[in-house]
Amino acid sequence: MNNLIWKIKTFNELSTKEFHEILKARINVFIVEQTCPYPELDGYDQEAVHLWAEIEGDVVAYCRLFDSGIKYKEASIGRVLTNQNYRKRNLGRTLLRFAINTVESRFRTSSIRISAQNYLLPFYREFGFVEVGETYLEDDIPHTEMKRD
């Protein structure tokens, strides 16, 4: 893919433009596309490591990474997205491989917990995640916690 650039930064390393583009991508996918009004700014961005791919400044894939003890007892990955215009290009798979590798190297753990939208359970199973709880509604969308050791 032409001009695809991967970036990883802590909150304090992000420029205001980068954070703006990240928020724009998250709002476009999780609020606009999924028609799900919810509090996007949840107070966790400051504690996250942000991993994303961009093309000409547009965020095309993104996720947040957390060390153990922040969101869950285990390390975690969240806000996983691929820009609607860049789907079917395996960016999500590349993103998740990078995310898992980053958690393992940066946080020195292979124990990762996620809260997955149910339609994505097969996708996460490809990476060794298994369901560890019952389905629950989060912002009116069915989710299941999954764990990878």
Side-chain angles (χ1 to χ4, degrees):
M1 222 173 294
N2 293 349
N3 303 321
L4 181 69
I5 299 169
W6 287 94
K7 295 184 176 185
I8 184 165
K9 295 185 178 188
T10 64
F11 182 78
N12 290 333
E13 294 169 331
L14 291 171
S15 71
T16 52
K17 181 176 182 352
E18 287 169 331
F19 191 56
H20 175 268
E21 293 304 315
I22 286 168
L23 285 179
K24 184 168 78 171
R26 288 179 1 194
I27 289 167
N28 284 343
V29 170
F30 298 124
I31 297 175
V32 177
E33 182 184 333
Q34 295 181 356
T35 58
C36 180
Y38 76 103
E40 171 54 35
L41 293 174
D42 61 1
Y44 283 106
D45 285 310
Q46 297 88 327
E47 299 182 64
V49 172
H50 302 265
L51 170 64
W52 76 98
E54 62 182 49
I55 295 176
E56 297 176 8
D58 288 332
V59 173
V60 297
Y62 169 85
C63 68
R64 300 193 298 194
L65 313 174
F66 295 98
D67 202 351
S68 306
I70 296 175
K71 297 278 286 185
Y72 302 103
K73 181 180 80 173
E74 305 84 1
S76 63
I77 301 170
R79 296 289 204 272
V80 179
L81 70 84
T82 302
N83 177 308
Q84 191 173 26
N85 298 326
Y86 292 89
R87 295 193 185 137
K88 306 293 184 207
R89 299 182 190 197
N90 284 319
L91 280 174
R93 284 179 176 78
T94 303
L95 173 69
L96 204 56
R97 276 193 296 276
F98 282 166
I100 291 167
N101 290 340
T102 301
V103 166
E104 290 176 343
S105 63
R106 190 175 279 227
F107 303 142
R108 305 264 188 256
T109 183
S110 58
S111 184
I112 304 170
R113 184 177 293 261
I114 62 173
S115 174
Q117 292 184 1
N118 281 5
Y119 82 96
L120 290 168
L121 296 176
F123 170 77
Y124 289 112
R125 284 187 204 116
E126 290 178 33
F127 296 90
F129 286 93
V130 295
E131 292 90 335
V132 292
E134 300 296 317
T135 294
Y136 58 94
L137 285 180
E138 183 174 313
D139 305 313
D140 289 329
I141 297 173
H143 283 69
T144 301
E145 282 190 15
M146 301 183 85
K147 190 174 172 198
R148 180 183 193 275
D149 284 310

